[in-house]
């Protein structure tokens, strides 16, 4: 097995970690589940378990078959018809939730808006009618490129209501990344905003979108949300007549009566692009019935969600966490969801904690990279706010080092809140490995056990169960990806070709006698930078796109806040000289091509890259150099001297 390129120190810590945290008695006593029996029941009949959860949703037509499975093709709740927006909104209108908060939104400048379930239903229905008016119908693709504003959730729900397939593109992506995603899905409509606030500045989304659209022929209309009317003031962008329309004009004229389209359970709800091992991102396709069932069940049990909870997940809707645990899971449960537009350190580093106090947040879900930043900023920022309402904390997106876990537990959770470390992926759609907070004894750094009804293990290359190796999911699960948009071969090859009928997530993991999983990080050429997935090939393509670059190899190196940072080894074309200016330019070039999340931390110029005799770049050696470690075996190299020279150069520069 290739050892995952995760931070070595953190790995050592993980391997030594033996602290245990049973659920606090007060928590367990009131928890939705406080009994191990749920694991046994689900294991005895997983299909019956999932069918019970599906049965809590509203179906226009009942399903005939819980699961049909012919690997890798799964059909969950076949024959059943439902609508996701109906389940997230209409279902709550007949009871006491009708006028309760669904979305509590705060903009970065401090403006706020609260939507009740009834409000959100009305706004969604109006916008759904507006989309219909633009010719959007069932199965059409709609790209959404928005900041964290309520309209992002409304746009997603409006698509779901009429059976259109949304493809949300994170607002931090470049025009080129946006264009690639629009073109791959052949989206008909793009929904964007004049801008969104980030650290006091306005991110010019419409200007990016205009640049992207120069390369897109499928888009017929662009709907523009006026976020603060900053279009003329800051971005100087205008609307293109005939193509672009203001969101507020469209909804002003639209009827609030829009019946929810019955969708067959297996019909596509959304596409979400994620990075893989090639330069081209994959459009992960999610279904309707299975997806909603698992996000509904996991939100309820993993977060122990109650009617009086105030739930805040700090992810962006541009990522799967935002889809499943800001929008669909919590709203299907009728939760009060906090949504925040901006940066955690604006106007100061206490912003998140002020928000927690202001809205009385009880459940808080964030990424380890954020926790490490909070640790670095210091406890005094946390101490300024009253966090006594918090009762449960969660993490997602990358392995959490025990030091950060313990800090989160002590400083944010006041030693009374259980922590749920949730392992899952864009492809899994919903949480897969996690504690149940009223049942599971937690261990810092371990995501603990598979969720009831999920079957996970660790396998060797050849498929034997081993204590340390590749994480594997051995049974189909309701919210599993159904394919990669337009590329079913890649779907089969990436996830289903390692073992027979078993899903390969691409992560390394280990397990101890207690059966707890310790997910150690990616085993493929995918990096996890500040909780964001970035393919090394994407960054390499961006680098070689620059006229000065002949060849590039990208690896991850440990970073104390981001988990991993990007180190790029670059060979220049004849006649080009390495310089600090060029390194700076290349970093900027990558940020411009992909988005600033992909900006390399280090650029290391080299006359040659270490290659095997067959010409394959030896990334393992590059990783060792970037980590400042002793070099491993170099005997297979065509020219062992290359790597010695590189190491010297790196150490000089470091
Ligand atoms: O490597 C694992 C890591 O994040 C990857 C999935 O990234 P993405 O599809 O962007 O989804 C992130 C949000 C679900 C996984 O393959 N990962 C995610 N959660 C954890 C994790 N690694 C360790 N522990 C976790 N809790």
């Amino acid at each position: 097995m290739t050892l995952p390129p995760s931070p070595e120190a953190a790995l050592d810590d993980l391997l030594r970690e033996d602290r245990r945290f049973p659920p606090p008695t007060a928590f367990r006593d009131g928890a939705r589940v406080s009994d191990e029996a749920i694991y046994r029941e689900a294991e005895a009949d997983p299909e019956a378990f999932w069918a019970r959860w599906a049965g809590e949703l509203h179906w226009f037509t009942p399903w005939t078959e819980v699961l049909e499975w012919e690997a890798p093709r799964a059909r969950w709740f076949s024959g059943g018809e439902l609508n996701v927006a109906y389940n997230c909104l209409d279902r709550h209108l007949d009871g006491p939730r009708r006028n309760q908060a669904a979305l509590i939104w705060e903009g970065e400048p401090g403006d706020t808006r609260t939507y009740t379930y009834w409000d959100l239903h009305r706004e969604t229905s109006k916008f759904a009618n507006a989309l219909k008016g633009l010719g959007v119908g069932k199965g059409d693709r709609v790209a959404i490129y928005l900041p964290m504003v309520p309209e992002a959730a409304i746009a997603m729900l409006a698509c779901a209501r009429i059976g259109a397939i949304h493809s949300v593109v994170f607002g931090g992506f470049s025009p080129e990344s946006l264009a690639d995603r629009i073109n791959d899905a052949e989206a008909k409509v793009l929904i964007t905003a004049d801008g969104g606030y980030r650290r006091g500045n306005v991110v010019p989304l419409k200007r990016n979108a205009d640049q992207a659209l120069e390369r897109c022929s499928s888009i017929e209309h662009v709907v523009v949300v006026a976020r603060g009317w900053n279009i003329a003031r800051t971005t100087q962008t205008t609307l293109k007549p005939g193509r672009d329309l203001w969101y507020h004009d469209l909804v002003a004229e639209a009827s609030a009566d829009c019946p929810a389209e019955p969708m067959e359970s297996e019909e596509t709800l959304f596409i979400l692009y994620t990075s893989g091992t090639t330069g081209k991102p994959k459009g992960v396709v999610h279904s309707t019935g299975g997806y909603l069932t698992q996000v509904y069940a996991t939100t309820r049990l993993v977060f122990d969600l109650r009617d009086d909870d105030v739930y805040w997940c700090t992810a962006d809707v541009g990522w799967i966490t935002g889809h499943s645990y800001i929008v669909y899971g919590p709203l299907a449960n009728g939760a009060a969801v906090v949504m925040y537009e901006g940066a955690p350190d604006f106007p100061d580093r206490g912003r998140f904690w002020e928000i927690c106090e202001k809205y009385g947040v009880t459940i808080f879900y964030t990424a380890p990279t954020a926790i490490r930043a909070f640790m670095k900023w210091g406890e005094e920022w946390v101490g300024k706010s009253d966090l006594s309402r918090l009762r449960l904390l969660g993490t997602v997106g990358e392995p959490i080092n025990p030091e950060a876990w313990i800090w989160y537990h002590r400083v944010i959770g006041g030693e009374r809140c259980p922590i749920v470390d949730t392992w899952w992926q864009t492809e899994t759609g919903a949480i897969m490995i996690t504690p149940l907070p009223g049942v599971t004894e937690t261990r810092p750094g371990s995501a603990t056990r598979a969720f009831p009804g999920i079957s996970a293990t660790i396998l060797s290359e050849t498929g034997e169960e081993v204590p340390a190796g590749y994480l594997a999911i051995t049974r189909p699960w309701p919210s599993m990806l159904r394919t990669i948009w337009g590329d079913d071969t890649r779907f089969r090859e990436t996830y289903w070709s390692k073992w027979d009928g078993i899903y390969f997530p691409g992560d390394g993991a280990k397990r101890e006698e207690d059966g707890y999983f310790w997910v150690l990080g990616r085993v493929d050429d995918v990096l996890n930078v500040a909780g964001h997935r970035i393919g090394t090939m994407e960054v390499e393509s961006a680098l070689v796109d620059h006229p000065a670059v002949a060849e590039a190899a990208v690896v991850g190196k440990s970073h104390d806040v981001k988990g991993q940072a990007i180190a790029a080894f670059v060979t220049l074309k004849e006649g080009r000289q390495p310089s600090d200016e060029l390194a700076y330019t290349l970093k900027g070039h990558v940020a411009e091509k992909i988005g600033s999340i992909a900006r390399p931390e280090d650029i290391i110029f080299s006359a040659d890259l270490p290659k095997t005799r067959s010409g394959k770049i030896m990334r393992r050696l590059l990783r060792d150099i970037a980590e400042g470690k002793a070099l491993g075996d170099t005997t297979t190299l065509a020219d062992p001297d290359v790597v010695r020279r590189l190491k010297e150069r790196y150490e000089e520069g470091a």
Side-chain angles (χ1 to χ4, degrees):
M1 181 182 103
T2 332
L3 247 192
S6 41
E8 290 296 311
L11 210 71
D12 288 346
D13 273 2
L14 276 182
L15 303 178
R16 277 197 305 269
E17 180 58 50
D18 58 6
R19 283 169 286 193
R20 286 158 201 274
F21 295 80
T25 315
F27 191 98
R28 182 194 295 255
D29 287 349
R32 276 196 185 278
V33 219
S34 53
D35 190 339
E36 284 274 336
I38 187 166
Y39 288 99
R40 288 192 296 277
E41 282 163 24
E43 194 48 41
D45 192 346
E47 288 180 33
F49 173 80
W50 289 118
R52 228 172 348 126
W53 283 104
E56 291 195 15
L57 302 173
H58 179 273
W59 296 76
F60 299 122
T61 314
W63 64 85
T64 47
E65 200 63 69
V66 175
L67 170 66
E68 292 157 84
W69 175 231
E70 195 178 320
R73 200 59 68 218
R75 293 182 60 80
W76 282 89
F77 312 114
S78 199
E81 287 186 313
L82 75 167
N83 181 284
V84 168
Y86 187 98
N87 273 285
C88 289
L89 302 171
D90 308 47
R91 205 158 61 94
H92 307 308
L93 300 187
D94 292 334
R97 285 210 186 96
R98 180 170 54 227
N99 285 319
Q100 284 176 11
L103 211 54
I104 302 168
W105 175 80
E106 181 157 311
E108 195 187 73
D111 45 341
T112 63
R113 276 190 264 163
T114 298
Y115 291 80
T116 64
Y117 273 91
W118 215 353
D119 294 332
L120 205 56
H121 175 264
R122 186 181 316 110
E123 295 302 318
T124 297
S125 299
K126 282 185 170 189
F127 190 53
N129 276 328
L131 287 174
K132 276 189 183 171
L134 297 179
V136 177
K138 192 167 167 174
D140 286 337
R141 275 79 61 206
V142 174
I144 299 176
Y145 183 62
L146 282 173
M148 284 287 286
V149 290
E151 287 81 358
I154 293 168
M156 291 163 75
L157 290 161
C159 288
R161 193 163 193 88
I162 60 174
I165 298 170
H166 60 68
S167 163
V168 183
V169 180
F170 171 56
F173 274 124
S174 66
E176 191 166 328
S177 299
L178 173 62
D180 289 345
R181 287 157 175 76
I182 288 174
N183 289 337
D184 189 75
E186 296 172 285
K188 201 168 175 179
V189 165
L190 169 67
I191 303 162
T192 187
D194 53 356
Y197 288 88
R198 189 80 193 173
R199 291 210 174 83
N201 298 316
V202 176
V203 181
L205 288 168
K206 175 64 165 66
R207 198 172 64 194
N208 291 353
D210 283 338
Q211 273 180 38
L213 293 182
E214 288 169 15
R215 295 184 34 210
C216 303
S217 57
S218 59
I219 294 288
E220 293 169 13
H221 289 289
V222 180
V223 180
V224 187
V225 175
R227 164 75 189 114
W229 294 100
N230 49 28
I231 202 156
R233 277 209 321 265
T234 51
T235 64
Q236 304 294 323
T237 317
T238 47
L239 300 200
K240 186 172 166 185
R243 185 193 72 179
D244 303 354
L245 302 138
W246 285 114
Y247 177 97
H248 56 268
D249 286 342
L250 282 174
V251 294
E253 291 160 11
S255 147
D257 180 19
C258 179
E261 181 78 28
M263 300 289 286
E264 205 280 329
S265 177
E266 277 300 314
E267 282 183 298
T268 301
L269 177 65
F270 65 85
I271 307 172
L272 183 60
Y273 286 85
T274 189
S275 293
T277 50
T278 71
K280 187 175 183 294
K282 304 176 279 199
V284 169
V285 173
H286 279 291
S287 75
T288 297
Y291 173 79
L292 191 65
T293 299
Q294 194 170 331
V295 296
Y296 170 73
T298 49
T299 305
R300 204 163 184 84
L301 295 193
V302 175
F303 300 111
D304 188 55
L305 200 66
R306 310 320 184 78
D307 284 347
D308 55 355
D309 273 317
V310 178
Y311 167 96
W312 183 20
C313 164
T314 69
D316 191 284
V317 286
W319 310 116
I320 190 68
T321 309
H323 285 56
S324 302
Y325 297 107
I326 294 177
V327 181
Y328 294 122
L331 296 180
N333 277 283
V337 179
V338 172
M339 184 177 183
Y340 168 59
E341 177 187 34
D345 54 354
F346 191 87
D348 64 40
R349 293 170 166 180
R351 185 66 186 268
F352 270 20
W353 319 121
E354 277 167 28
I355 293 175
C356 283
E357 175 179 322
K358 182 170 174 189
Y359 301 106
V361 171
T362 57
I363 302 171
F364 181 74
Y365 190 32
T366 197
T369 190
I371 298 168
R372 289 189 294 262
F374 303 144
M375 278 174 78
K376 210 169 176 169
W377 295 344
E379 288 177 35
E380 59 274 22
W381 291 107
V382 184
K384 290 178 198 281
S385 297
D386 175 7
L387 300 184
S388 60
R389 290 270 171 159
L390 283 174
R391 67 180 196 92
L392 178 71
L393 304 176
T395 74
V396 58
E398 47 177 328
I400 181 163
N401 47 313
E403 191 196 354
W405 195 103
I406 295 288
W407 188 90
Y408 196 32
H409 182 255
R410 179 176 62 82
V411 179
I412 308 299
E415 295 182 340
R416 73 182 177 277
C417 305
I419 297 179
V420 288
D421 173 355
T422 61
W423 177 88
W424 58 294
Q425 308 177 294
T426 304
E427 292 88 339
T428 69
I431 294 171
M432 302 290 279
I433 301 179
T434 176
L436 291 180
V439 179
T440 318
E441 181 176 78
T442 51
R443 298 182 60 185
S446 171
T448 75
R449 302 166 66 175
F451 186 80
I454 300 297
S455 177
T457 189
I458 299 177
L459 298 178
S460 68
E461 190 76 39
T462 48
E464 281 94 45
E465 286 214 355
V466 284
Y470 300 114
L471 188 61
I473 310 295
T474 54
R475 266 200 314 249
W477 65 101
S479 62
M480 64 200 289
L481 80 164
R482 297 307 198 262
T483 187
I484 289 175
W485 184 260
D487 198 348
D488 202 54
T489 309
R490 189 172 179 194
F491 165 67
R492 288 168 187 271
E493 278 169 7
T494 310
Y495 308 107
W496 301 97
S497 64
K498 201 181 230 358
W499 312 292
D500 193 20
I502 293 174
Y503 173 80
F504 170 57
D507 278 339
K510 68 163 208 133
R511 200 148 60 147
E512 291 182 358
E513 302 76 58
D514 59 7
Y516 277 23
F517 288 95
W518 303 76
V519 180
L520 304 173
R522 305 288 309 186
V523 294
D524 51 11
D525 291 328
V526 173
L527 307 179
N528 193 328
V529 180
H532 303 314
R533 252 165 92 164
I534 297 166
T536 51
M537 288 273 285
E538 284 174 80
V539 183
E540 288 167 7
S541 317
L543 284 166
V544 296
D545 172 78
H546 190 276
V549 176
E551 198 173 23
V554 163
V555 296
K557 59 172 240 175
S558 313
H559 188 281
D560 60 352
V561 173
K562 296 179 187 168
Q564 280 192 303
I566 297 174
F569 292 81
V570 170
T571 307
L572 295 177
K573 285 190 182 148
E574 283 285 318
R576 297 289 194 143
Q577 295 308 317
S579 67
D580 288 349
E581 291 75 45
L582 183 57
Y584 183 79
T585 305
L586 293 178
K587 289 179 188 178
H589 185 71
V590 175
E592 209 181 293
K593 293 282 289 181
I594 303 176
S596 54
I597 54 168
R599 183 189 300 271
E601 179 98 353
D602 292 333
I603 299 272
I604 306 114
F605 293 109
S606 161
D608 286 298
L609 293 172
K611 291 187 184 158
T612 60
R613 287 178 201 108
S614 61
K616 196 167 172 278
I617 294 174
M618 299 270 294
R619 289 168 191 284
R620 177 179 56 81
L621 291 175
L622 294 177
R623 274 202 291 272
D624 288 349
I625 294 171
E627 297 284 9
K629 284 200 310 201
L631 292 176
D633 184 9
T634 58
T635 50
T636 52
L637 285 175
D639 176 5
D641 237 25
V642 167
V643 60
R644 188 187 48 75
R645 285 197 301 271
L646 244 181
K647 189 168 163 63
E648 279 167 14
R649 177 188 287 272
Y650 187 72
E651 279 161 5
E652 272 165 29

